[in-house]
Amino acid sequence: MQALSPALASWLADAILISHVAVVLFVLLGALAVPIGAWRRWRWVRGFRWRLTHLVLMGVIALQAWLGALCPLTVWEQALRRRAGEAVYRESFIEYWLSRLIFFEAPWWIFVAAYSGFAAFVLLLWWAVPPQRRAGKVS
């Protein structure tokens, strides 16, 4: 197998960053959608698989924070940027703007507290707005 070209590595790093933003939006907007959807009687917010995915993802994020581990998406993106020969300070347009939306400079404990609190909120939503399995379906 031939090694990635720097241009392809840079493009893949941008694609991973976009995916990372999508994960962040899924977690944040999902947590907002559940209580709003319960109030508005949207049936999809009680979907079991969707809610389980949301809960497990937030649990993994909180666990990574407790362990001091970087998100695999961050690790892959950084490796690809190094492969592309991109310096830390040199950023593409996509990287520049999307990174500023999801990455912040703060002490480690702030992230642990924030992720843990958000995970507790998602778990509370599981109890307050319980998901429902479809009748007649075995998952």
Side-chain angles (χ1 to χ4, degrees), residues 32-43 45-46 51 128-129:
L32 289 173
V34 172
I36 292 169
W39 173 64
R40 303 277 302 160
R41 299 187 192 279
W42 297 337
R43 293 186 67 204
V45 299
R46 292 186 185 265
R51 293 287 300 280
V129 183

Side-chain angles (χ1 to χ4, degrees), residues 11-137:
W11 183 87
L12 288 171
D14 286 345
I16 289 173
L17 181 60
I18 291 168
S19 299
H20 205 169
V21 170
V23 167
V24 170
L25 290 174
F26 172 73
V27 168
L28 293 175
L29 296 178
L32 289 173
V34 172
I36 292 169
W39 173 64
R40 303 277 302 160
R41 299 187 192 279
W42 297 337
R43 293 186 67 204
W44 66 270
V45 299
R46 292 186 185 265
F48 184 80
R49 288 182 185 154
W50 182 87
R51 293 287 300 280
L52 184 61
T53 301
H54 190 250
L55 179 66
V56 168
L57 182 58
M58 193 60 237
V60 168
I61 292 167
L63 180 62
Q64 286 174 344
W66 277 99
L67 297 175
L70 285 176
C71 174
L73 294 175
T74 300
V75 173
W76 295 333
E77 179 196 350
Q78 290 173 351
L80 285 165
R81 294 213 185 278
R82 278 192 296 279
R83 172 66 185 109
E86 294 179 1
V88 175
Y89 61 88
R90 198 176 118 237
E91 301 164 313
S92 71
F93 176 80
I94 292 171
E95 180 187 5
Y96 178 84
W97 289 106
L98 294 182
S99 288
R100 273 134 192 90
L101 289 174
I102 65 174
F103 297 121
F104 304 96
E105 292 291 328
W108 170 79
W109 66 268
I110 294 206
F111 291 102
V112 173
Y115 294 152
S116 297
F118 201 79
F121 177 68
V122 170
L123 188 58
L124 176 68
L125 289 175
W126 187 273
W127 173 77
V129 183
Q132 298 172 343
R133 294 179 188 254
R134 290 186 185 161
K137 269 199 149 183

